[in-house]
């Protein structure tokens, strides 16, 4: 349970740092690229054995990390487009509701438990995600022509979590978790660097020190969130559907509370109901194990 708690705290810290990005006008692409570089270096530092780059393709999980790195960047850009076209609430709901995909995968592929309390807890969690994420009493609305973007965010985030579960279960040794994580972030960093380089060629790009600092500040908790999540998924007493449900809902809950305490965010009645349901869903899923 300690690994799950650390993953929640790390992911919640990412939310707080993103909030500070808007306050200090951090360039998102530059910071995200530096973030992936920092996260990759963090994994390399945490890895106890000598690293030989030319040996990496020999690992069975190597090509999976290439795909994950690409998906990381794609989902990030899709979330940005979704936020621009349909609002932050739509992007948040699509991102967090994607937990349904790894939950379903765990139950089907690994015959994970589906007790009454757990099923009720998961359903309540999905309702809690929606209610906590929306920022208007009218709910959310999406134009038909823009529906594809939150749908792709939903699928993309679900594929990331499901792939992490599959790869760590089938191919990643316990001692290889740091280098596995470092490689995922490394490929994401390479793609980000290529995109930045293309921008530099086609138009003027100014690299700012504050963007680099912001990326470093984001990269460390980003690495920790993945590392601790994988460790939590390996816990003998909790299956992946339990871990993903508690992790997603707890991150949303802690992030919402942080928004109230540190950024003076105002919540509507639906948000408060969502917070109460979040706590209830965590208790139901946790006690169902």
């Amino acid at each position: 349970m300690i690994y799950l708690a650390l993953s929640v705290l790390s992911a919640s810290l990412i939310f707080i740092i993103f909030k500070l990005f808007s306050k200090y006008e951090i360039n998102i692409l530059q910071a995200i690229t530096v973030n992936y570089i920092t996260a990759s270096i963090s994994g390399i530092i945490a890895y106890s054995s000598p690293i030989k780059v030319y040996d990496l393709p020999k690992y069975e999980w190597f090509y999976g990390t290439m795909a994950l790195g690409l998906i990381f960047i794609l989902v990030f850009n899709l979330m940005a487009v979704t936020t621009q076209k349909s609002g932050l609430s739509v992007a948040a709901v699509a991102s967090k509701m994607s937990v349904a995909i790894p939950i379903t995968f765990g139950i089907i592929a690994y015959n994970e438990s589906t007790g009454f309390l757990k099923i009720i807890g998961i359903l309540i969690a999905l309702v809690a995600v929606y209610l906590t994420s929306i920022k208007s009493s009218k709910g959310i609305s999406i134009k038909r022509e823009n529906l594809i973007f939150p749908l792709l965010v939903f699928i993309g985030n679900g594929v990331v979590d499901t792939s992490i579960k599959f790869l760590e279960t089938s191919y990643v040794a316990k001692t290889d978790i740091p280098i596995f994580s470092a490689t995922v972030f490394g490929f994401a960093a390479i793609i980000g660097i290529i995109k930045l380089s293309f921008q530099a060629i086609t138009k003027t790009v100014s690299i700012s020190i504050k963007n680099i600092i912001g990326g470093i500040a984001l990269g460390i908790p980003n690495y920790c969130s993945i590392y601790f999540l994988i460790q939590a998924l390996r816990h003998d007493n909790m299956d992946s559907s339990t871990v993903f449900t508690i992790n997603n809902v707890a991150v949303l809950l802690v992030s919402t509370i942080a928004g109230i305490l540190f950024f003076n965010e105002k919540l509507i009645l639906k948000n408060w109901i969502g917070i109460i349901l979040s706590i209830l869903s965590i208790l139901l899923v946790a006690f169902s194990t």
Side-chain angles (χ1 to χ4, degrees):
M1 187 63 76
I2 185 65
Y3 286 124
L4 182 55
L6 290 171
S7 177
V8 169
L9 289 175
S10 300
S12 300
L13 185 57
I14 292 172
F15 161 82
I16 295 172
I17 293 171
F18 266 123
K19 281 286 186 180
L20 293 173
F21 277 8
S22 59
K23 179 179 179 180
Y24 293 101
E25 299 181 342
I26 302 293
N27 181 283
I28 297 296
L29 178 59
Q30 290 183 23
I32 286 292
T33 302
V34 174
N35 142 78
Y36 286 137
I37 295 172
T38 303
S40 183
I41 292 173
S42 298
I44 292 171
I45 293 173
Y47 191 52
S48 58
S49 302
I51 297 173
K52 299 177 181 178
V53 176
Y54 56 82
D55 281 340
L56 288 178
K58 297 178 182 178
Y59 288 98
E60 292 182 291
W61 44 257
F62 177 77
Y63 295 103
T65 61
M66 291 179 65
L68 275 175
L70 175 60
I71 296 172
F72 270 22
I73 291 287
L74 288 176
V75 170
F76 163 73
N77 283 282
L78 285 168
M79 287 187 68
V81 173
T82 302
T83 301
Q84 291 170 358
K85 293 184 176 293
S86 302
L88 182 59
S89 295
V90 175
V93 170
S95 175
K96 293 301 180 184
M97 294 285 272
S98 67
V99 72
I101 296 177
I103 287 173
T104 303
F105 177 79
I107 291 172
I108 294 174
Y110 299 109
N111 297 314
E112 294 180 354
S113 61
T114 54
F116 177 76
L117 282 181
K118 184 175 184 177
I119 292 175
I120 295 299
I122 291 172
L123 293 175
I124 291 176
L126 294 176
V127 175
V129 165
Y130 174 79
L131 292 176
T132 308
S133 299
I134 60 175
K135 299 304 178 185
S136 170
S137 57
K138 297 179 181 179
I140 59 176
S141 60
I142 310 172
K143 293 181 180 179
R144 183 176 297 180
E145 62 269 24
N146 295 331
L147 187 60
I148 184 63
F149 299 111
L151 179 61
L152 289 174
V153 169
F154 173 84
I155 294 172
N157 271 301
V159 168
V160 167
D161 286 342
T162 303
S163 299
I164 289 174
K165 168 60 183 174
F166 173 73
L167 289 172
E168 70 86 16
T169 300
S170 304
Y171 301 111
V172 182
K174 186 174 183 179
T175 54
D176 290 339
I177 293 176
I179 192 62
F180 167 77
S181 304
T183 307
V184 173
F185 288 123
F187 279 117
I190 290 170
I191 297 169
I193 291 170
I194 292 172
K195 186 171 182 178
L196 274 177
S197 300
F198 180 76
Q199 286 187 353
I201 294 171
T202 57
K203 59 183 179 181
T204 302
V205 175
S206 177
I207 304 296
S208 171
I209 187 65
K210 69 177 181 180
N211 299 331
I212 296 174
I213 294 173
I216 294 172
L218 182 64
I220 296 172
N222 198 5
Y223 167 77
C224 290
S225 68
I226 295 297
Y227 174 81
F228 290 129
L229 176 62
I230 294 175
Q231 292 286 13
L233 286 169
R234 289 178 173 245
H235 197 283
D236 293 335
N237 296 328
M238 287 191 298
D239 52 36
S240 66
S241 54
T242 298
V243 170
F244 281 123
T245 301
I246 295 177
N247 185 74
N248 259 40
V249 178
V251 168
L252 186 61
L253 179 61
V254 174
S255 299
T256 301
I257 294 173
I260 297 171
L261 295 176
F262 302 120
F263 301 101
N264 297 316
E265 292 188 352
K266 305 299 181 183
L267 303 185
I268 61 176
L269 178 60
K270 289 181 180 179
N271 298 149
W272 287 112
I273 295 173
I275 288 175
I276 294 171
L277 291 178
S278 296
I279 297 172
L280 178 60
S281 69
I282 290 172
L283 291 174
L284 287 173
V285 173
F287 283 114
S288 70
T289 57

